[in-house]
Amino acid sequence: PDEVLPIRSARRARCPGLFAAASDDTFVLPQHAQDLHDAWGGHRAIRSFEGGHNGERPEWFLDEAARFLALQLQHEAGGRKA
């Protein structure tokens, strides 16, 4: 268990990160997502919602996550040289 500590590498991250947590998650506490977000070295965003650990994610979050991913992929593709 001590080997899986992403917080140790988070500051070196340069890729964008979208962090999300259910405010009522009792399995992986929301503070873990907040800590990773705060330590992340790249562009980052964090969102919170209700729904527990395995709950269905709200539509607004799924839409936002899709936009975040599309924007990052467009940005990456635009930065490549042929």
Side-chain angles (χ1 to χ4, degrees):
D2 290 338
E3 295 173 13
V4 182
L5 294 171
I7 194 78
R8 289 184 178 170
S9 301
R11 293 200 189 285
R12 294 191 306 268
R14 295 296 172 252
C15 62
L18 175 59
F19 298 89
S23 58
D24 55 343
D25 191 339
T26 58
F27 185 66
V28 177
L29 299 178
Q31 188 60 45
H32 290 283
Q34 186 66 55
D35 292 344
L36 279 170
H37 169 268
D38 293 347
W40 201 252
H43 172 74
R44 63 193 185 272
I46 189 165
R47 300 295 178 260
S48 179
F49 40 77
E50 293 183 359
H53 187 73
N54 292 314
E56 188 172 330
R57 299 306 177 226
E59 193 69 30
W60 67 261
F61 173 72
L62 299 177
D63 291 342
E64 185 171 337
R67 283 191 306 274
F68 183 89
L69 181 57
L71 180 65
Q72 300 311 318
L73 290 172
Q74 288 172 352
H75 176 73
E76 183 66 25
R80 290 189 184 155
K81 296 180 182 172

